[in-house]
Amino acid sequence: MSSALHTDRYELTMLEAGLRDGTAHRRCVFELFARRLPGARRYGVVAGTGRLISLLRDFRFGDDELRFLRDEKVVDAATLRFLEDYRFSGTITGYREGELYFPGSPVLTVEGTFAEAVVLETLALSVLNHDSAVATAAARMSVAAGGRPLAEMGSRRAGEESAVAAARAAYIAGFSATSNLEAGRVWGIPTMGTAAHAWTLLHDSEEDAFRAQIDALGIGTTLLVDTYDTRAGVELAVRVAGTGLGGVRLDSGDLPVVAAQVRAQLDELGATGTRITVTSDLDEFAIAALAASPVDAYGVGTSVVTGSGAPTAGMVYKLVARQDAAGGWVPVAKASASKASTGGRKAAFRVCEDGTATAELITVSDGFEPLDTAAEHDDARPLQVTLVDAGDPDTAAEGPSGVRAARAHHARVREELPVRGLALSRSDPAIPTVFADAASRARRDQPARD
Amino acid sequence: MSSALHTDRYELTMLEAGLRDGTAHRRCVFELFARRLPGARRYGVVAGTGRLISLLRDFRFGDDELRFLRDEKVVDAATLRFLEDYRFSGTITGYREGELYFPGSPVLTVEGTFAEAVVLETLALSVLNHDSAVATAAARMSVAAGGRPLAEMGSRRAGEESAVAAARAAYIAGFSATSNLEAGRVWGIPTMGTAAHAWTLLHDSEEDAFRAQIDALGIGTTLLVDTYDTRAGVELAVRVAGTGLGGVRLDSGDLPVVAAQVRAQLDELGATGTRITVTSDLDEFAIAALAASPVDAYGVGTSVVTGSGAPTAGMVYKLVARQDAAGGWVPVAKASASKASTGGRKAAFRVCEDGTATAELITVSDGFEPLDTAAEHDDARPLQVTLVDAGDPDTAAEGPSGVRAARAHHARVREELPVRGLALSRSDPAIPTVFADAASRARRDQPARD
């Protein structure tokens, strides 16, 4: 499966024109970043990096792709010849998957000729925008859930392939499992799930359904008790399974009230070890509202796969530096109203004090080499790693092991945030983004006048 | 590529338990419908049907899928043997792709054994929920745009595969083109696009960039004029291309104001035939606000691919009828708070008066055969067609020709809506959903007492 036509037509149109006037061969630096955090959130979570690296391997124009471009006259013959041999040979640096990001963070930096870098715009943005939107929502839910486990079960509310990516992103951001079997197969994510209401309705009685489920799955299973009447369902569940019943699931009603009632009823019946899972229309706010309720686990669907109100991270892919005709490097930026960008190659550091993040420091170079001011800070963690080195992908970031590493990294860096930065309410980013360029550095380096 | 693991684990768990107690072989009717229209919209647009039919062909459990299920102990050996031979042999009826739907409309009806029908829940919902959400948003934009062409260019703000499906859904609902090349290749949708800001920034001057684009693409191309200063950009564009310039694109600023200024400037310069395309953060409301502006075409990104505030259609897949142990048919429904469903097999008709829709009539049968009350109405259009007939898919609904048919069907049925039903504001559905069952029909059939 080629990923090469996950591309907006204008990228190939620019390529054609650039091959014609020679500018397509100019070396360029493109940057992928977010101008702001959607929904006035406090932080974003980078996800999709490992998927993107794998998709880049398949970014080849094969017979099917070339035939389409030729038949539809999308590009001329010279451009077709270029695409036939296309293989990204540039370098991509970026934030580790699972890392936090803030407005202006250079989440991905793509270096290469204009020709090889411009065609990656759509694919890179599709993957990072979708996966980061889900991961950001998932991280907020994970914070709201405290230590209680969260399962992602929103596949049905997302496009079928995005559903797999969403399960992966949620797991990186702190979820513990998914209902999606393909996410289990491809990314090694633990899968979960026992029965739907259809299972109860299929049987001539709720008792038949519970008995059959326990016969097949044992008393450790979770019974869905709200198909008809929750109180009667709980009573029946314990009668059929005994007090060793693993769990009950509640998928409707006013959950704080129902969870308390069901816990009391289970305890009365002697099923004190039976766990309660709730799954009805949860988002980070509903989860937070259940913090004091006797709930053992959450299942989250729609809201996590749709980014809980922000289904895209809104990242953009902009040319920030390029060579001129003489080979010198020029920082570039557009001046469009409310969409201005900052030209120049960036380096990024998380500045911490006593282990708590205080700023996102982004240095801006006027040449090709990034400006390194990290040495000026006692505790400034460099945020960028090499993801593709002269065309060679970082295999450690791919596959299930990449997912596990990203999940561990996310858990680690989330600990650095100041406590107020974890709040769910709308506000400014948890830490300010501070830009530093060579000129401001030179000013700082001058001795004070007094 | 198998689609078989685009499945929630609980479907296979229920399958295992049902194979064990024999209920998996009971014949069932599942129904896919929406309880409400998200965002208090007036109508929904069905999309994804043709994609689903194709994905069903690939719903086979191959070596990779079976190995995963065995290694992870998801199901037992008997279930693995069942899945190895799995092929959907049931019948699916449903709304034509492009059709309008309302709360309770039986968008899809899946008949088969519990075993073969329950495993399709996630895939069917993923496809229909995503594509219908996009199509519904797109239809509202198409209404707002009047006769002006709309291009979908939101791939970068959606997962990479969902982006292709979104381009397809938007085209069905009235868009005229997409930026996404894969959607062009796979679904035959016209593609468009010329240049990004990066093209201008790549060059030593805006003039170099415009000249190179015109050299490659001719003066019929569209120049992006807002990289630095829009007024200077327009002046330069006409100076370089001449008054025969095809178009300019505006991607920033207060569009009603900027469009009027640019139109006046183009006319002053003699470029009276040069078209204006606007592309900055448009949704149906922004498009409506530009109705009186001199805009020739719209490009829509984020809002259309994310359903303009409703990224999922919120459809559910519910068991509504099944056989009992004796082979008789039983309508079934759950009674969960605020999630109650209506049991029984449905037939659906759009009731019209003088060509204008007045009601969504849904008849509810207490047996297997749907209840046909259409004959009681002068003008009741049956809404359901056979999509899969005893395992055999309707090939006419697949591929590019299926997309064209869906687009034509949508344009036709949208004309039936009452004018007030096309409004963008939040309100009740454009027409009421009326349920009729055998009992109410019998009551109607009795002669009046007087």
Side-chain angles (χ1 to χ4, degrees), chain A residues 38 40 44-45 70 130 141 156 169 197 225 227 233 286 308 346 364 376 448:
Chain A
V45 177
R70 185 167 44 240
H130 173 268
M141 294 169 190
R156 61 195 54 198
H197 293 103
V225 292
T227 303
S308 198
K346 321 287 191 305
V364 185
E376 298 170 19

Side-chain angles (χ1 to χ4, degrees), chain A residues 351-353 373-381:
Chain A
V351 180
C352 294
E353 282 175 22
T373 67
E376 298 170 19
H377 294 268
D378 289 342
D379 186 6
R381 183 163 62 82

Side-chain angles (χ1 to χ4, degrees), chain A residues 8-10 21 26 51 126 129 155-156 160 162 179 191 201-203 226-227 251 322 335-336 339, chain B residues 8-10 21 26 51 126 129 155-156 160 162 179 191 201-203 226-227 251 322 335-336 339:
Chain A
D8 286 321
R9 177 165 172 153
Y10 77 176
D21 81 344
R26 291 184 171 188
R51 291 211 305 123
S126 287
N129 269 328
S155 295
R156 61 195 54 198
E160 71 282 6
S162 287
S179 62
T191 60
L201 297 174
L202 173 67
H203 287 80
D226 69 343
T227 303
D251 186 46
R322 60 158 172 87
S336 316
K339 288 187 176 177
Chain B
D8 285 322
R9 178 166 172 152
Y10 76 176
D21 80 344
R26 290 185 170 187
R51 290 210 307 122
S126 286
N129 270 328
S155 295
R156 61 195 54 198
E160 70 282 7
S162 287
S179 62
T191 60
L201 297 174
L202 173 67
H203 287 81
D226 70 343
T227 304
D251 186 46
R322 60 158 173 87
S336 317
K339 289 187 176 179

Side-chain angles (χ1 to χ4, degrees), chain A residues 38-64:
Chain A
R41 290 175 177 171
R42 309 298 181 93
Y43 55 90
V45 177
V46 176
T49 319
R51 291 211 305 123
L52 178 61
I53 291 175
S54 297
L55 285 163
L56 276 182
R57 291 182 184 277
D58 302 322
F59 200 93
R60 306 290 177 88
F61 294 82
D63 290 345
D64 287 349

